[in-house]
CSV table of all heavy atoms in Angstrom, one decimal:
chain,number,residue,atom,x,y,z
I,83,THR,N,0.3,4.8,-10.9
I,83,THR,CA,-0.2,3.3,-10.6
I,83,THR,C,-1.6,3.3,-11.2
I,83,THR,O,-2.1,2.1,-11.4
I,83,THR,CB,-0.2,3.1,-9.2
I,83,THR,OG1,-1.0,4.1,-8.5
I,83,THR,CG2,1.1,3.2,-8.6
I,84,LEU,N,-2.2,4.3,-11.6
I,84,LEU,CA,-3.7,4.1,-12.0
I,84,LEU,C,-3.7,3.4,-13.3
I,84,LEU,O,-4.7,2.5,-13.4
I,84,LEU,CB,-4.2,5.5,-12.1
I,84,LEU,CG,-4.7,6.3,-10.8
I,84,LEU,CD1,-5.1,7.7,-11.1
I,84,LEU,CD2,-5.8,5.5,-10.2
I,85,PRO,N,-3.0,3.8,-14.4
I,85,PRO,CA,-3.0,3.0,-15.6
I,85,PRO,C,-2.9,1.4,-15.3
I,85,PRO,O,-3.5,0.6,-16.0
I,85,PRO,CB,-2.0,3.5,-16.4
I,85,PRO,CG,-1.8,4.9,-15.9
I,85,PRO,CD,-2.0,4.8,-14.5
I,86,MET,N,-1.8,1.1,-14.4
I,86,MET,CA,-1.7,-0.3,-14.2
I,86,MET,C,-2.8,-1.0,-13.6
I,86,MET,O,-3.4,-2.0,-14.0
I,86,MET,CB,-0.5,-0.5,-13.1
I,86,MET,CG,-0.2,-1.8,-12.7
I,86,MET,SD,0.9,-1.9,-11.2
I,86,MET,CE,0.0,-1.2,-9.9
I,87,LEU,N,-3.5,-0.4,-12.7
I,87,LEU,CA,-4.7,-0.9,-11.9
I,87,LEU,C,-5.9,-1.0,-12.9
I,87,LEU,O,-6.6,-2.0,-13.0
I,87,LEU,CB,-5.3,0.0,-10.8
I,87,LEU,CG,-4.1,0.0,-9.6
I,87,LEU,CD1,-4.8,0.9,-8.5
I,87,LEU,CD2,-4.0,-1.3,-9.1
I,88,GLU,N,-6.1,0.0,-13.9
I,88,GLU,CA,-7.1,0.0,-14.8
I,88,GLU,C,-6.8,-1.2,-15.8
I,88,GLU,O,-7.8,-1.9,-16.3
I,88,GLU,CB,-7.1,1.2,-15.5
I,88,GLU,CG,-7.7,2.4,-14.7
I,88,GLU,CD,-7.4,3.7,-15.3
I,88,GLU,OE1,-6.8,3.9,-16.4
I,88,GLU,OE2,-7.9,4.8,-14.7
I,89,ALA,N,-5.5,-1.5,-16.2
I,89,ALA,CA,-5.2,-2.6,-17.1
I,89,ALA,C,-5.6,-3.9,-16.5
I,89,ALA,O,-6.0,-4.8,-17.1
I,89,ALA,CB,-3.8,-2.5,-17.6
I,90,LEU,N,-5.2,-3.9,-15.2
I,90,LEU,CA,-5.5,-5.2,-14.5
I,90,LEU,C,-7.0,-5.5,-14.3
I,90,LEU,O,-7.5,-6.7,-14.6
I,90,LEU,CB,-4.8,-5.3,-13.1
I,90,LEU,CG,-3.3,-5.1,-12.9
I,90,LEU,CD1,-2.9,-5.1,-11.5
I,90,LEU,CD2,-2.7,-6.4,-13.6
I,91,ASP,N,-7.8,-4.4,-14.0
I,91,ASP,CA,-9.2,-4.6,-13.9
I,91,ASP,C,-9.7,-5.0,-15.3
I,91,ASP,O,-10.6,-5.9,-15.4
I,91,ASP,CB,-9.7,-3.2,-13.4
I,91,ASP,CG,-9.5,-3.0,-12.0
I,91,ASP,OD1,-9.1,-3.9,-11.3
I,91,ASP,OD2,-9.7,-1.9,-11.6
I,92,ALA,N,-9.3,-4.4,-16.4
I,92,ALA,CA,-9.8,-4.5,-17.7
I,92,ALA,C,-9.5,-6.0,-18.2
I,92,ALA,O,-10.4,-6.6,-18.8
I,92,ALA,CB,-9.2,-3.6,-18.7
I,93,ALA,N,-8.4,-6.6,-17.8
I,93,ALA,CA,-8.0,-7.9,-18.1
I,93,ALA,C,-8.5,-8.9,-17.2
I,93,ALA,O,-8.4,-10.1,-17.4
I,93,ALA,CB,-6.5,-8.0,-18.1
I,94,GLY,N,-9.4,-8.6,-16.2
I,94,GLY,CA,-9.8,-9.5,-15.2
I,94,GLY,C,-8.9,-10.1,-14.3
I,94,GLY,O,-9.1,-11.2,-13.8
I,95,VAL,N,-7.7,-9.4,-14.1
I,95,VAL,CA,-6.8,-10.0,-13.2
I,95,VAL,C,-7.0,-9.3,-11.8
I,95,VAL,O,-6.9,-8.1,-11.6
I,95,VAL,CB,-5.3,-9.6,-13.7
I,95,VAL,CG1,-4.2,-10.1,-12.7
I,95,VAL,CG2,-5.1,-10.2,-15.0
I,96,GLY,N,-7.2,-10.2,-10.8
I,96,GLY,CA,-7.6,-9.7,-9.4
I,96,GLY,C,-6.4,-9.3,-8.8
I,96,GLY,O,-5.2,-9.9,-9.1
I,97,TRP,N,-6.5,-8.3,-8.0
I,97,TRP,CA,-5.4,-7.8,-7.3
I,97,TRP,C,-5.8,-7.3,-5.8
I,97,TRP,O,-7.1,-7.2,-5.6
I,97,TRP,CB,-4.7,-6.5,-7.9
I,97,TRP,CG,-5.6,-5.4,-8.2
I,97,TRP,CD1,-6.3,-5.2,-9.3
I,97,TRP,CD2,-6.0,-4.3,-7.3
I,97,TRP,NE1,-7.0,-4.1,-9.2
I,97,TRP,CE2,-6.8,-3.5,-8.0
I,97,TRP,CE3,-5.5,-4.0,-6.0
I,97,TRP,CZ2,-7.4,-2.3,-7.4
I,97,TRP,CZ3,-6.0,-2.8,-5.5
I,97,TRP,CH2,-7.0,-2.0,-6.2
I,98,GLY,N,-5.0,-7.5,-4.8
I,98,GLY,CA,-5.3,-7.2,-3.5
I,98,GLY,C,-4.2,-6.4,-2.9
I,98,GLY,O,-3.2,-6.1,-3.5
I,99,ILE,N,-4.4,-6.0,-1.6
I,99,ILE,CA,-3.5,-5.2,-0.9
I,99,ILE,C,-3.1,-6.0,0.5
I,99,ILE,O,-4.0,-6.4,1.2
I,99,ILE,CB,-4.1,-3.9,-0.4
I,99,ILE,CG1,-4.4,-3.0,-1.8
I,99,ILE,CG2,-3.2,-3.1,0.4
I,99,ILE,CD1,-5.2,-1.8,-1.6
I,100,VAL,N,-1.9,-6.2,0.7
I,100,VAL,CA,-1.3,-6.7,1.9
I,100,VAL,C,-0.4,-5.6,2.5
I,100,VAL,O,0.6,-5.4,1.9
I,100,VAL,CB,-0.6,-8.0,1.7
I,100,VAL,CG1,-0.2,-8.5,3.1
I,100,VAL,CG2,-1.5,-8.9,1.0
I,101,THR,N,-0.7,-5.2,3.7
I,101,THR,CA,0.0,-4.0,4.3
I,101,THR,C,0.3,-4.3,5.7
I,101,THR,O,-0.6,-4.9,6.4
I,101,THR,CB,-0.7,-2.6,4.1
I,101,THR,OG1,0.0,-1.6,4.7
I,101,THR,CG2,-2.2,-2.7,4.6
I,102,ASN,N,1.3,-3.7,6.3
I,102,ASN,CA,1.5,-3.9,7.7
I,102,ASN,C,0.7,-2.7,8.5
I,102,ASN,O,0.7,-2.6,9.6
I,102,ASN,CB,3.0,-3.7,8.1
I,102,ASN,CG,3.7,-5.0,8.0
I,102,ASN,OD1,3.2,-6.1,7.7
I,102,ASN,ND2,5.0,-5.0,8.1
I,103,LYS,N,0.1,-1.8,7.7
I,103,LYS,CA,-0.8,-0.7,8.3
I,103,LYS,C,-1.9,-1.4,8.9
I,103,LYS,O,-2.7,-2.2,8.3
I,103,LYS,CB,-1.2,0.2,7.1
I,103,LYS,CG,-1.5,1.6,7.5
I,103,LYS,CD,-1.9,2.4,6.3
I,103,LYS,CE,-1.8,3.9,6.5
I,103,LYS,NZ,-0.4,4.3,6.2
I,104,ALA,N,-2.4,-1.0,10.1
I,104,ALA,CA,-3.5,-1.6,10.8
I,104,ALA,C,-4.7,-1.3,10.0
I,104,ALA,O,-4.9,-0.1,9.4
I,104,ALA,CB,-3.5,-1.0,12.2
I,105,LEU,N,-5.7,-2.2,10.0
I,105,LEU,CA,-7.0,-1.9,9.4
I,105,LEU,C,-7.7,-0.6,9.8
I,105,LEU,O,-8.5,0.0,9.1
I,105,LEU,CB,-7.9,-3.0,9.6
I,105,LEU,CG,-7.5,-4.4,8.9
I,105,LEU,CD1,-8.5,-5.4,9.2
I,105,LEU,CD2,-7.4,-4.1,7.4
I,106,ARG,N,-7.3,-0.2,11.0
I,106,ARG,CA,-7.8,1.2,11.6
I,106,ARG,C,-7.6,2.3,10.6
I,106,ARG,O,-8.4,3.2,10.5
I,106,ARG,CB,-7.3,1.4,12.9
I,106,ARG,CG,-7.4,2.9,13.5
I,106,ARG,CD,-6.6,2.9,14.8
I,106,ARG,NE,-6.5,4.2,15.3
I,106,ARG,CZ,-5.7,4.6,16.2
I,106,ARG,NH1,-5.0,3.7,16.9
I,106,ARG,NH2,-5.7,5.9,16.6
Side-chain angles (χ1 to χ4, degrees):
T83 61
L84 284 172
M86 176 191 69
L87 295 180
E88 290 168 354
L90 292 176
D91 290 342
V95 176
W97 55 271
I99 298 169
V100 181
T101 176
N102 280 354
K103 206 182 202 79
L105 289 177
R106 166 187 171 187

